[in-house]
Amino acid sequence: MWPRIGGLRTLALGTPGELRARLNTLVLAGVKTATAGLVTEYAEEGEELEHVGERLALVDDDDRLVGVVEITGVETVRFADVGWEFARSEGEGDRSIAEWREGHAAYWARVGTPVTDDSEIVCLRFRLVSAGDGGITTGDLGT
């Protein structure tokens, strides 16, 4: 299971280090309003997909709360069927859907989970509810 903070599931974007810091900055600036994940990751962790209205604790490399987001959309699609509107809402600077696919395929390959056109992708849309701790106690980390 993914860690929890104040009863909320955590959202740890990218990999620790520069990438996570950059992605968190984009979320806090309101530029990044979506993220993509692999359905297989949910199964491996024993987690259900997020649902509209669910709030997630956005965390840094040390699982410290940096903000709270609320899920506004959840869709599962084949990697080849991820649309440009969704990809653009990830706010990571991709200039085309082909560039988005290339970058995401390379990322997942680097972390040990190569994808194909048929890989199931969870497309999450969200809005920033609060930056900082949002009144949530960060001492409530656990599984």
Side-chain angles (χ1 to χ4, degrees):
M1 289 180 65
W2 291 319
R4 305 300 201 259
I5 295 177
L8 301 180
R9 289 196 276 183
T10 58
L11 177 59
L13 297 171
T15 51
E18 184 179 323
L19 177 59
R20 182 165 300 152
R22 182 172 66 84
L23 297 177
N24 283 349
T25 298
L26 291 171
V27 171
L28 296 174
V31 174
K32 182 173 180 61
T33 59
T35 194
L38 299 173
V39 169
T40 55
E41 294 173 328
Y42 289 81
E44 290 167 3
E45 293 290 331
E47 291 285 350
E48 294 182 16
L49 296 183
E50 291 83 356
H51 61 273
V52 172
E54 181 177 3
R55 291 187 174 193
L56 304 174
L58 182 67
V59 296
D60 66 11
D61 291 346
D62 298 315
D63 285 332
R64 288 185 304 238
L65 185 67
V66 297
V68 175
V69 299
E70 183 176 342
I71 300 299
T72 60
V74 180
E75 184 179 18
T76 302
V77 298
R78 293 173 55 243
F79 182 66
D81 295 333
V82 172
W84 174 234
E85 182 185 349
F86 174 82
R88 188 175 51 234
S89 67
E90 281 203 285
E92 297 174 29
D94 294 310
R95 293 168 291 187
S96 69
I97 190 61
E99 188 175 322
W100 181 91
R101 285 192 182 111
E102 183 179 303
H104 280 68
Y107 168 79
W108 281 314
R110 273 194 316 274
V111 298
T113 312
V115 295
T116 68
D117 282 351
D118 291 326
S119 295
E120 294 280 331
I121 307 299
V122 179
C123 298
L124 295 177
R125 293 181 181 273
F126 55 80
R127 69 179 184 88
L128 182 64
V129 173
S130 66
D133 70 12
I136 295 173
T137 305
T138 57
D140 190 24
L141 283 174
T143 55

